[in-house]
Amino acid sequence: MSTSSQFQPLVIPRDSDGFVKSFTLSNYNCPTASTARAFFQEYGFVVIANVYTPEQCNDTISDIWNVIESFVGKPVQNNEQLWNQKLWTRTGIIEEGIIGGGSLWTRQILLNRQTPALHTAFASVLGTENILVNQDRYGMFRPSKEHPERSTMTNLHLDMNPWLYIDQEDNSEQLKVLGELNYDSDDDWITENNEPGCSKVGELHVQGLVNLADNLEEDGGFWLVPGFHKYLTQWADDHRHL
């Protein structure tokens, strides 16, 4: 029997407004943090609310546009006619909505990265305040309902090799790759992100993204399959032909 016939995505708890249930954390050891961690362990993801203030969100949105305009070489924020494919190819990986080819290092990104509430969110999921983080980039999706050429690709994006993850006996390959990084290129931070080690070691590596505005299902963008983390090993074993 195939994995697809066995696996059924979990039904996600929602709030009264229809959004996925979220958690607001006061600190790493608060009772809600334990509840959020249990949610993560069950569903494979968790939504932490109010990590950034409205002011931080607005400042970050402004910074995203500053980065985009630095890439395209002209002001485009208030002129949607300039959000065309020719200009947008300069912004990064447009088929995935990624801004920047490598990691970005703006002042706002560095301030965001040091936000105590962001640390609390990751610490609560990981179960420790001693965490090591990498440096990534922005995501930006242009409205595509009336412009289908702007649509991003539909793909399974794991940021890792699942077959190496389940087959390797130890982290020697991960340590080899990381040991060869010189960090003389922004791409090295992306390579670092894609090396989670192997399942047999039992380390927990997580990724997070920060939504700067309410995200509805019909908006598209990021997809996930609730509960799939418990079936990843079986799925990878069943799909070695990919």
Side-chain angles (χ1 to χ4, degrees):
M1 186 178 294
S2 67
T3 301
S4 59
S5 62
Q6 295 176 354
F7 175 72
Q8 292 295 326
L10 302 176
V11 177
I12 308 171
R14 297 178 181 270
D15 62 23
S16 58
D17 294 320
F19 290 101
V20 172
K21 178 180 175 61
S22 63
F23 302 85
T24 299
L25 308 178
S26 58
N27 59 68
Y28 154 69
N29 285 318
C30 70
T32 306
S34 298
T35 306
R37 186 157 52 248
F39 187 102
F40 170 79
Q41 292 167 347
E42 174 67 14
Y43 295 97
F45 79 98
V46 65
V47 178
I48 309 299
N50 304 315
V51 172
Y52 291 166
T53 65
E55 291 76 18
Q56 277 181 293
C57 291
N58 289 333
D59 289 344
T60 304
I61 291 171
S62 295
D63 190 50
I64 291 173
W65 281 112
N66 288 339
V67 170
I68 289 172
E69 291 178 349
S70 72
F71 285 145
V72 302
K74 62 177 65 179
V76 297
Q77 179 177 359
N78 298 314
N79 187 352
E80 191 172 342
Q81 291 184 348
L82 295 177
W83 300 3
N84 56 67
Q85 298 298 93
K86 182 178 180 180
L87 273 184
W88 219 260
T89 54
R90 304 178 189 175
T91 65
I93 309 174
I94 63 170
E95 63 270 18
E96 296 181 18
I98 294 175
I99 304 300
S103 296
L104 298 175
W105 300 89
T106 68
R107 180 177 184 273
Q108 188 62 47
I109 285 177
L110 296 177
L111 289 173
N112 289 350
R113 194 167 179 256
Q114 299 174 64
T115 300
L118 184 65
H119 176 270
T120 295
F122 278 99
S124 298
V125 170
L126 292 167
T128 176
E129 293 183 287
N130 185 20
I131 61 178
L132 180 66
V133 298
N134 77 333
Q135 184 78 11
D136 214 308
R137 46 201 167 182
Y138 283 136
M140 164 75 172
F141 299 93
R142 295 168 293 166
S144 60
K145 185 175 182 178
E146 297 178 3
H147 298 273
E149 73 279 2
R150 298 176 180 174
S151 297
T152 52
M153 64 190 297
T154 299
N155 72 328
L156 176 64
H157 193 94
L158 298 176
D159 271 352
M160 59 178 286
N161 184 320
W163 297 280
L164 292 180
Y165 182 72
I166 67 174
D167 288 343
Q168 290 178 340
E169 295 296 326
D170 56 41
N171 275 10
S172 56
E173 179 63 23
Q174 176 203 36
L175 297 176
K176 177 178 180 295
V177 172
L178 297 180
E180 293 174 350
L181 295 177
N182 296 317
Y183 295 97
D184 53 2
S185 167
D186 289 336
D187 290 339
D188 286 354
W189 296 89
I190 308 303
T191 300
E192 176 192 273
N193 178 67
N194 295 344
E195 290 295 332
C198 68
S199 63
K200 293 181 177 65
V201 173
E203 293 178 347
L204 178 59
H205 297 250
V206 299
Q207 285 187 323
L209 59 85
V210 180
N211 278 349
L212 302 173
D214 288 342
N215 194 187
L216 305 176
E217 285 190 25
E218 55 266 31
D219 294 336
F222 177 65
W223 292 357
L224 61 81
V225 182
F228 185 73
H229 62 302
K230 297 180 180 179
Y231 291 84
L232 175 62
T233 297
Q234 182 179 339
W235 178 89
D237 198 44
D238 288 347
H239 293 82
R240 291 183 178 274
H241 59 283
L242 295 179

